[in-house]
Amino acid sequence: MEFLNRKIPDYVCRKQNIVGLIIFTAVFALLFINLYKPFNSRNWYPDISASMFFVFSSVLILFGVFIVAISRMVMYFYARKHVLHYWEFGLWNLIEIFAMSSVYAVCTLWASKWTLRWGDVILNATINTLLILLLPYTAALLFESWDDKNRQLKSINARDNSELAPLSAPVAPMVAFFDEKNELRLTIKRGNLLYLESADNYVYICYINKGAVSRFLLRNNLKNLEEQFAGTNVMRCHRSYMVNFDNASIIRRENEGLVVEFPQEGVKNIPVSHSYTEQVTKYFLK
């Protein structure tokens, strides 16, 4: 039960992974059903020719892909504002499967001129849909997990390399920022970092440069950067903000809630949302 209440990995709802899942599922289902004809699928519609079976199954697959695309689009926007747990993700997939199997069942009943029993048709449709989607969904998740671990490894290697310095001149730890294509865009001293601010598909990096406050626009999102800073004092305090609490000077309560202040002039106060209040308070009490 504890596992079901855990947050799903961020890469599951990453935009490029969702697009890849939809395309891969469509291609896989189309080839798998028409070339290998698994699960006795040719007997689903015995009264039509092979060419018509191809057309009919292709139309059904397009309907299914349309359902998946709408569902994953809703999931993407939902996950940007809410925490998506494993039990919710599992329920989401079951609803997708049931929606697709319902379309298949209706088409089957129509093709049979409504002579088949609805209960038997929907049961077979659900089982067949589940079996067909199990392979592409599992393969996509495994690839996304591997790709995410590869990204993290590159990020760790980049940080390790940036922290290397001559023995005679040690420097403060550095932090490297990569865009969504995993290309290095900015490297600064961690001690100079103030906060990160989300701006749709971009993140503003606010930091100290030559004694002045500077901002850098990075094409990435806070979820990816939150993974990068896991275990450090750069922590999430709001849906739109992460703060380097090593540089924060004051935490203060206002009518709207807590705010974080910095000693530097020209740096705005950062709000702390209710869901992060306990985490931020514990840090300052330490």
Side-chain angles (χ1 to χ4, degrees):
M1 293 299 294
E2 182 180 353
F3 170 79
L4 295 177
N5 289 320
R6 292 180 183 175
K7 176 177 175 292
I8 65 169
D10 292 328
Y11 59 75
V12 174
C13 295
R14 194 172 291 159
K15 183 185 297 184
Q16 55 266 37
N17 287 343
I18 290 177
V19 174
L21 172 67
I22 295 171
I23 295 174
F24 178 63
T25 301
V27 174
F28 178 88
L30 185 64
L31 295 176
F32 193 59
I33 290 179
N34 288 288
L35 294 181
Y36 292 96
K37 298 179 176 57
F39 319 124
N40 203 25
S41 58
R42 187 62 185 89
N43 293 329
W44 296 351
Y45 309 102
D47 298 330
I48 62 177
S49 64
S51 59
M52 285 302 298
F53 176 80
F54 176 79
V55 173
F56 196 68
S57 63
S58 299
V59 172
L60 282 180
I61 291 169
L62 288 177
F63 271 112
V65 170
F66 178 75
I67 292 172
V68 173
I70 296 298
S71 173
R72 297 293 162 148
M73 188 184 303
V74 174
M75 180 188 292
Y76 170 75
F77 287 105
Y78 177 85
R80 292 183 63 182
K81 298 182 178 181
H82 304 85
V83 175
L84 190 63
H85 302 91
Y86 274 101
W87 70 268
E88 293 174 301
F89 181 67
L91 181 61
W92 206 299
N93 281 275
L94 289 177
I95 293 174
E96 281 182 1
I97 292 171
F98 180 76
M100 284 185 281
S101 61
S102 296
V103 171
Y104 160 64
V106 170
C107 292
T108 301
L109 289 169
W110 173 79
S112 67
K113 299 181 179 179
W114 309 96
T115 58
L116 300 177
R117 292 180 57 186
W118 166 257
D120 295 337
V121 171
I122 191 64
L123 178 61
N124 291 331
T126 302
I127 293 174
N128 290 329
T129 304
L130 177 62
L131 291 174
I132 291 172
L133 292 181
L134 184 62
L135 289 174
Y137 275 25
T138 302
L141 283 175
L142 290 175
F143 174 79
E144 291 167 6
S145 177
W146 171 84
D147 182 62
D148 184 69
K149 295 296 186 296
N150 194 40
R151 286 170 176 262
Q152 293 182 24
L153 182 60
K154 289 181 179 179
S155 177
I156 291 172
N157 290 336
R159 285 206 304 268
D160 290 343
N161 291 334
S162 66
E163 292 175 2
L164 293 176
L167 295 177
S168 59
V171 296
M174 307 292 288
V175 57
F177 290 94
F178 296 83
D179 63 15
E180 61 178 8
K181 296 181 180 179
N182 209 34
E183 295 182 1
L184 181 64
R185 294 298 182 186
L186 178 69
T187 302
I188 61 175
K189 290 183 179 180
R190 184 173 298 170
N192 288 354
L193 176 64
L194 297 177
Y195 66 86
L196 307 173
E197 180 181 0
S198 175
D200 293 328
N201 294 325
Y202 293 85
V203 173
Y204 281 107
I205 303 169
C206 184
Y207 62 100
I208 303 298
N209 182 28
K210 297 179 181 180
V213 178
S214 299
R215 284 160 64 90
F216 182 86
L217 186 61
L218 177 73
R219 187 172 180 85
N220 208 323
N221 59 68
L222 279 187
K223 285 189 176 183
N224 293 338
L225 297 179
E226 188 176 11
E227 292 179 358
Q228 177 179 339
F229 286 106
T232 72
N233 291 331
V234 182
M235 298 184 296
R236 194 81 171 258
C237 67
H238 189 273
R239 183 181 67 189
S240 301
Y241 294 97
M242 289 181 64
V243 169
N244 183 1
F245 284 99
D246 285 340
N247 285 332
S249 59
I250 297 173
I251 180 171
R252 177 166 49 83
R253 181 172 292 279
E254 296 184 343
N255 293 334
E256 295 80 9
L258 297 180
V259 295
V260 178
E261 294 185 5
F262 295 89
Q264 293 82 6
E265 292 186 6
V267 181
K268 65 180 181 180
N269 297 337
I270 305 300
V272 179
S273 62
H274 178 73
S275 57
Y276 293 97
T277 298
E278 182 178 357
Q279 174 182 321
V280 172
T281 304
K282 283 183 178 179
Y283 173 81
F284 271 88
L285 287 178
K286 288 182 180 179

